[in-house]
Amino acid sequence: QVQLVESGGGLVQAGGSLRLSCAASGRTFSSYAMGWFRQAPGKEREFVAAISGSGGSTYYADSVKGRFTISRDNTKNTVYLQMNSLKPEDTAVYYCNGQSGPAAIIRHADFGSWGQGTQVTVSS
C-alpha cells in the first residue's frame, strides 16, 4: 500500500502561484494513477486533477483547466500540482491519492483513507 504526504501549501494573493508536492512510499508508485483533490470549508471533497502511472495522460476539473498542471516524477515517487492564476475560490485543503488502474476513473474512486493534506489559502 502506498502512503502519501502532501506539502507545499501556503498563503498567496489572488493571481499568484504555488506548487504542491505529494511524496509516496512504496515500490509500486509508477503503477498507480494519482489524483489531487480539495476540500473547502463546509463543502465536500472534490476532484482537481489526475495523472496516469506513466504520466502520459492527464485529466482536470473544469474549474482548474488551463490554470493547474499535474505532473509526476516516478524516480522520486512524487506527484506535483502546479497552480497558477490562483483565485480565492481555490482556497481549500488539498489532498493526493491514487490507485492502480486508469487515471480516467480517479475522480470517481472511493478511497479508504486520506493523508493530512496541505492548506492553500488565496487572499483577494
Side-chain angles (χ1 to χ4, degrees):
Q1 185 174 354
V2 176
Q3 295 185 334
L4 306 164
V5 178
E6 303 94 341
S7 63
L11 173 64
V12 63
Q13 288 188 333
S17 299
L18 282 174
R19 188 174 84 151
L20 307 183
S21 298
C22 172
S25 64
R27 293 173 291 179
T28 59
F29 178 73
S30 61
S31 69
Y32 274 60
M34 298 296 298
W36 282 98
F37 301 79
R38 66 187 182 185
Q39 187 168 20
K43 296 187 176 181
E44 293 189 351
R45 193 169 358 231
E46 65 176 0
F47 167 78
V48 175
I51 188 167
S52 61
S54 68
S57 298
T58 56
Y59 303 86
Y60 297 93
D62 288 344
S63 58
V64 306
K65 203 170 293 184
R67 300 188 298 121
F68 290 11
T69 302
I70 189 171
S71 62
R72 66 191 296 159
D73 185 341
N74 287 342
T75 67
K76 297 181 179 180
N77 277 19
T78 301
V79 61
Y80 304 98
L81 186 68
Q82 178 66 44
M83 305 186 296
N84 299 328
S85 302
L86 282 161
K87 304 175 181 180
E89 51 263 44
D90 294 319
T91 294
V93 179
Y94 283 70
Y95 303 87
C96 66
N97 220 321
Q99 63 179 25
S100 58
I105 63 172
I106 281 286
R107 68 176 69 203
H108 303 300
D110 183 13
F111 297 105
S113 63
W114 295 86
Q116 84 287 351
T118 186
Q119 175 71 49
V120 171
T121 303
V122 184
S123 63
S124 57

